[in-house]
Amino acid sequence: MYPHRVLGSASLLVLGSALSLTPSNATAQTALPAVTVDAPRAAAARPAARKPAIRASARTQARPPSANPAPSASLTAGITPSVARALLYQAPNGQTETTIDRSRFENRPSFSVADVLRESPGISVKQGNGPRDVGISIRGSNARNGFGIRNLVIFEDGFPVTQPDGLSRTDLIDPRAYSAIDVIRGPSSALYGNYATGGALNFRTRPGGTIDGVEYGADGGSFGYLNNYLAAGKKVGNFEGSLFASDARGDGFIGNSWFNTQTVNFLGTLHATPDDRFTVKFINNNLDTRLPLRLSLNQYHQNPFQQGCDMAGVAGCASVNLLNNGFNGTRTPITAIQAGLGREDRRTIVGGRWEHDFDNTTTWRNQFVFDDRNISQPTGATSAIGDFPSYNYMSDVTKRGEILGMESTTYFGAFYNTLTASSDTRNVMPGGNARLGLLQSNTWSDTTNYGVRAREELKLTPQLTAIAGIGWETTHLKGINSAYNYGSSPVPMPTITTTTADRQFQNTAPELALLYKLHPEWLFRARVATGYGTPQVGNLFVLPNGQNGNNTQLRTQKNIGYDLGFDWTPNSTLRFSATGFYEFFKDELVTQATQVGAPNASYTFNAPRSEHRGVELAADWQFLPGWRFTAAYTYLDEIYTQYTESIVNGATFSFNRAGNKIPGISPNELTARLGYEQMWGPLAGLGAFVEVQWKDSFYMDNANLLKAPGYELVNLNVHYKTDLVSDYFKSLSMYVEVRNVFDRTYVASANNIANSVTAGGIQNPAGVLANTTGSIYAGSPRAFIAGMKLAFK
């Protein structure tokens, strides 16, 4: 029996408390609030003396003293509304979590989330299709995906920024806007629903009260990079608001990769009455960027930065075959520069939230989000064009109190979200500036998710807390794909082939967790949880060769995961966390690149059975005054346990992949930093650090024949901050950083590639696969970046 069902039966008795309500105060604004590094918080708060003075996971505000009443007192007696709300906004216990505090990235050139998220164990990043487009994986969740982010759910200040089809993109994220990032690791669909097989992220913008004025900053450096940004915020009476805006542009270090992107981010909260709070969220991002083609491994070794690729045929330069007339006939190999490949996208998110306190312990929340993704993406032989508006509504109730004298948090919520779109795929033809030919296909799609979730946290003893939750969800996918075939006639008279899909999926996700506080220095934790993720409508219409066709048999991927771990905090200067996990996948959705020039760049299939296991370690040690060492390490071992791959070359040949490593998964990743901050004297505010990043080599194909090389990078940073004595200025911050000090050439992204066979059914060796294009982007060579920030009163 699949263990999902056993756990599901055990959890049907549970009502629960999943998403913590988003607070309106300045210190806790998220459905996924901050917690201590790497793990769930203890059931009881630690004594203040045991908290490190500065820590990657430090909360912006400690729990109010009245949040932990004496055991003999009623848990609801004398609780004021403000304290009740603070209780509601604590992070849900039982999750394996890390919080990356702003202090870890404020004094460095944080251009994209890749610069920030490496601070958390379990996280892996790879360069996507654009300057700030980053593929984020939690425990390898997204490493098998060709573009964007899937298999995890992303929030910003508690508002979802993952669309109902499961796609997230980081183009709209400028790390300068945020106070902290919460990383939830492991299957989490009981709490966050569809697509949370890997976990979740929540980005928390800076509250207006902490900005308390205006800040202007600028970063600039190698490859024409320049980022101007502005932050403004204030808390006035019952209103608190913050605004962030940035303009980033650069030439890029790879040929045809210049970019120009603008982001605006606003958060405002009004305490209309003592019992009612209204929050408004607005994000807008405009992106205009050129985009290089992905290379084969051999091309990467020849010309990693695609220099001199103004014409096709140059060694190491990738090219794409474009139809000369834009619909059929002869094709001409064209480089990305010649074709003018790129992206011109806009993303707009508007959200609103109303919170109402029924009494001192019960809060009702209603939230609505409109999210529109408008794209024009001539990224290869075709261009994707479309508008993807989505709507997301949720309502929930959270109550804190006691059950049989035991402290309790109970949550129940319901949600509905939908996305309906019609998108075109048009041929790109020679002529430059991404000149468009005729229509290649049209896809109408409708994705709808709705369901309920419940959760209960119960403090069984002062040392032991039990958590149980369950989520139920229905997903309905409808789509019509119309493929246009123009034959060989010079006159465009297309034959239209239509493929339809109408699939409905029902999924249930239970979870259980225990937290045991053996001693103030030791917290032990155990968790068993489940996740699920349905395919995207577009996945249903792509064949293994990248052509349009019927792939509607795709199934929901499901996983069940077991976590065991501990946190050790012997004193205020040392914290060490360790987590071991083992996850069993059924029908895992795996994506691999198709042949270059195909209408679709990737193909998705189900691997019947697979297993993911690993270890996550985090350390934070302030071993001498001013000195600090931090490290985040992840070990992953992910294999197919049941999967037979069929490859066609005239006849169909089958290959058993059981026991093979899942491609795209680096087995070892480490980020370590050693820093010093001068705390006193005339040089107070001066600091420096050296950082090492290590990523092990990994397989690129299902047969495990070809590996992408690993790398080690070293970064150096010197920074300075000082308060200013002035009627207008508050402080000045400056930094300079050298990235990739030893100028290593490395693979920043390698999409999975398809294996191939000879006519006789023999798999082609690594030497042949190394010529498969559409996979690799190189990482940045040595770069020098300097920046400053001036804070005004």
Side-chain angles (χ1 to χ4, degrees):
M1 176 183 293
Y2 189 62
H4 212 142
R5 298 180 181 176
V6 178
L7 184 57
S9 300
S11 299
L12 288 175
L13 302 177
V14 179
L15 290 177
S17 71
L19 282 169
S20 293
L21 298 180
T22 300
S24 50
N25 58 50
T27 61
Q29 305 174 28
T30 172
L32 304 170
V35 292
T36 52
V37 161
D38 191 63
R41 298 180 330 279
R46 288 189 177 88
R50 291 196 175 272
K51 294 186 178 179
I54 301 175
R55 187 166 71 198
S57 63
R59 295 185 57 85
T60 53
Q61 177 175 318
R63 177 180 289 201
S66 56
N68 294 293
S72 59
S74 168
L75 291 170
T76 59
I79 295 182
T80 65
S82 61
V83 172
R85 286 194 293 272
L87 293 175
L88 289 170
Y89 304 138
Q90 300 301 310
N93 280 317
Q95 302 296 309
T96 304
E97 304 174 80
T98 303
T99 293
I100 303 169
D101 187 79
R102 182 177 177 83
S103 65
R104 301 298 295 159
F105 56 87
E106 185 174 26
N107 56 7
R108 69 177 311 178
S110 303
F111 171 67
S112 74
V113 292
D115 299 325
V116 177
L117 289 178
R118 289 188 178 94
E119 298 277 346
S120 170
I123 285 282
S124 179
V125 295
K126 68 177 184 179
Q127 182 59 49
N129 296 336
R132 281 187 172 141
D133 187 41
V134 177
I136 303 171
S137 293
I138 300 178
R139 298 178 175 176
S141 62
N142 194 63
R144 53 196 180 274
N145 188 56
F147 77 98
I149 302 169
R150 296 198 178 278
N151 306 315
L152 60 90
V153 180
I154 299 180
F155 300 87
E156 185 161 316
D157 298 311
F159 293 92
V161 294
T162 296
Q163 289 200 296
D165 65 351
L167 180 64
S168 305
R169 303 201 80 154
T170 60
D171 302 299
L172 75 167
I173 296 176
D174 186 328
R176 297 265 181 226
Y178 303 104
S179 62
I181 304 166
D182 305 311
V183 181
I184 288 78
R185 310 197 303 277
S188 301
S189 289
L191 202 56
Y192 306 118
N194 199 0
Y195 315 116
T197 54
L201 298 171
N202 184 68
F203 292 82
R204 292 186 277 140
T205 55
R206 299 172 65 193
T210 63
I211 300 173
D212 193 29
V214 177
E215 297 175 356
Y216 167 74
D219 304 332
S222 301
F223 315 113
Y225 170 59
L226 178 64
N227 183 19
N228 288 282
Y229 60 94
L230 178 77
K234 206 76 175 176
K235 185 175 183 181
V236 180
N238 294 331
F239 177 79
E240 181 174 25
S242 62
L243 173 69
F244 175 85
S246 70
D247 177 285
R249 56 192 67 202
D251 300 327
F253 54 86
I254 298 177
N256 201 59
S257 65
W258 64 257
F259 61 90
N260 185 349
T261 181
Q262 293 77 40
T263 299
V264 176
N265 197 320
F266 172 78
L267 179 72
T269 297
L270 175 66
H271 291 245
T273 73
D275 297 327
D276 296 279
R277 295 163 302 283
F278 296 90
T279 300
V280 174
K281 181 71 177 178
F282 174 78
I283 310 172
N284 189 82
N285 172 257
N286 291 304
L287 170 65
D288 183 10
T289 183
R290 289 296 175 92
L291 195 67
L293 291 165
R294 289 179 177 266
L295 303 174
S296 69
L297 184 59
N298 282 341
Q299 288 173 329
Y300 160 77
H301 287 305
Q302 290 175 309
N303 189 359
F305 307 115
Q306 304 191 42
Q307 300 302 302
C309 294
D310 299 293
M311 298 291 292
V314 177
C317 290
S319 62
V320 60
N321 294 322
L322 302 183
L323 291 165
N324 289 343
N325 62 6
F327 61 92
N328 69 4
T330 306
R331 292 178 178 266
T332 299
I334 299 291
T335 68
I337 294 175
Q338 288 177 289
L341 303 183
R343 293 173 55 197
E344 190 172 353
D345 296 358
R346 176 188 53 79
R347 184 84 179 272
T348 302
I349 299 174
V350 181
R353 180 166 54 235
W354 169 44
E355 299 164 277
H356 174 72
D357 297 328
F358 287 113
D359 55 38
N360 289 350
T361 61
T362 307
T363 293
W364 178 32
R365 176 177 68 167
N366 291 277
Q367 180 171 285
F368 176 79
V369 174
F370 169 72
D371 184 345
D372 183 46
R373 174 168 51 95
N374 189 286
I375 66 170
S376 176
Q377 299 179 348
T379 59
T382 59
S383 176
I385 302 170
D387 189 50
F388 298 82
S390 65
Y391 306 86
N392 190 309
Y393 175 74
M394 58 164 288
S395 181
D396 54 37
V397 175
T398 302
K399 181 175 179 61
R400 294 188 67 97
E402 55 184 4
I403 297 176
L404 301 177
M406 295 178 288
E407 182 179 348
S408 165
T409 301
T410 303
Y411 167 94
F412 183 81
F415 59 91
Y416 172 88
N417 55 73
T418 186
L419 184 158
T420 302
S422 178
S423 59
D424 290 338
T425 300
R426 294 183 62 180
N427 292 309
V428 177
M429 57 191 298
N433 295 317
R435 184 182 177 189
L436 297 180
L438 298 187
L439 188 65
Q440 195 273 338
S441 68
N442 170 269
T443 300
W444 175 85
S445 63
D446 181 274
T447 302
T448 300
N449 304 283
Y450 57 88
V452 294
R453 55 176 67 107
R455 188 174 176 90
E456 178 68 38
E457 299 180 12
L458 197 61
K459 191 172 181 181
L460 302 176
T461 71
Q463 292 78 33
L464 183 63
T465 299
I467 303 99
I470 191 168
W472 172 87
E473 184 169 0
T474 292
T475 299
H476 196 178
L477 304 181
K478 294 187 290 184
I480 302 173
N481 177 260
S482 301
Y484 289 69
N485 188 327
Y486 296 92
S488 58
S489 171
V491 180
M493 300 179 61
T495 299
I496 303 175
T497 302
T498 300
T499 306
T500 62
D502 191 346
R503 301 286 308 279
Q504 184 165 299
F505 307 88
Q506 290 193 356
N507 293 290
T508 303
E511 72 171 79
L512 299 168
L514 289 174
L515 300 176
Y516 182 59
K517 190 73 172 177
L518 175 66
H519 184 272
E521 296 180 1
W522 290 93
L523 171 66
F524 293 91
R525 41 196 167 75
R527 178 175 185 257
V528 54
T530 53
Y532 58 85
T534 59
Q536 183 187 15
V537 172
N539 301 149
L540 305 178
F541 302 127
V542 182
L543 300 176
N545 61 3
Q547 299 297 319
N548 293 286
N550 191 330
N551 194 27
T552 58
Q553 79 285 348
L554 285 176
R555 300 176 297 277
T556 299
Q557 67 175 356
K558 299 179 181 181
N559 66 330
I560 179 168
Y562 302 88
D563 285 24
L564 285 174
F566 67 87
D567 300 326
W568 178 50
T569 312
N571 53 56
S572 61
T573 64
L574 176 61
R575 179 175 179 82
F576 180 78
S577 297
T579 303
F581 65 89
Y582 208 127
E583 299 174 7
F584 297 87
F585 274 77
K586 179 182 179 181
D587 294 325
E588 182 172 10
L589 290 168
V590 181
T591 298
Q592 64 188 27
T594 61
Q595 61 191 41
V596 174
N600 300 282
S602 61
Y603 161 72
T604 300
F605 59 92
N606 288 111
R609 301 280 180 175
S610 54
E611 296 179 6
H612 300 190
R613 54 261 181 137
V615 176
E616 300 163 333
L617 304 176
D620 190 340
W621 185 25
Q622 300 172 56
F623 54 92
L624 288 172
W627 288 92
R628 183 179 184 185
F629 172 78
T630 61
Y633 169 76
T634 305
Y635 167 74
L636 297 177
D637 181 23
E638 305 191 359
I639 61 171
Y640 296 121
T641 55
Q642 180 187 338
Y643 171 46
T644 299
E645 182 176 18
S646 297
I647 304 176
V648 178
N649 186 357
T652 300
F653 304 93
S654 298
F655 300 90
N656 185 6
R657 305 303 191 196
N660 284 13
K661 304 289 187 182
I662 298 174
I665 307 294
S666 174
N668 296 283
E669 293 201 39
L670 170 70
T671 296
R673 183 192 295 188
L674 176 64
Y676 177 76
E677 302 289 334
Q678 180 64 32
M679 310 297 292
W680 56 83
L683 296 180
L686 181 65
F689 64 78
V690 57
E691 180 181 73
V692 176
Q693 298 171 2
W694 170 44
K695 182 165 184 159
D696 206 352
S697 61
F698 55 91
Y699 288 109
M700 300 170 62
D701 65 304
N702 287 327
N704 292 176
L705 299 176
L706 187 68
K707 272 190 171 184
Y711 61 84
E712 305 85 26
L713 302 180
V714 176
N715 304 318
L716 290 176
N717 175 286
V718 178
H719 53 270
Y720 177 72
K721 181 177 180 179
T722 183
D723 294 330
L724 301 177
V725 180
S726 168
D727 293 335
Y728 304 102
F729 305 108
K730 290 197 297 184
S731 64
L732 173 67
S733 303
M734 298 178 289
Y735 71 82
V736 61
E737 183 162 321
V738 184
R739 295 199 159 180
N740 192 2
V741 172
F742 299 107
D743 203 19
R744 288 287 306 272
T745 300
Y746 66 99
V747 174
S749 176
N751 286 343
N752 299 345
I753 61 176
N755 290 102
S756 58
V757 296
T758 66
I762 305 299
Q763 291 189 95
N764 285 315
V768 174
L769 295 181
N771 290 315
T772 303
T773 57
S775 178
I776 292 177
Y777 281 147
S780 173
R782 183 189 296 121
F784 299 85
I785 305 176
M788 58 78 65
K789 182 181 70 175
L790 187 61
F792 299 83
K793 293 181 179 179

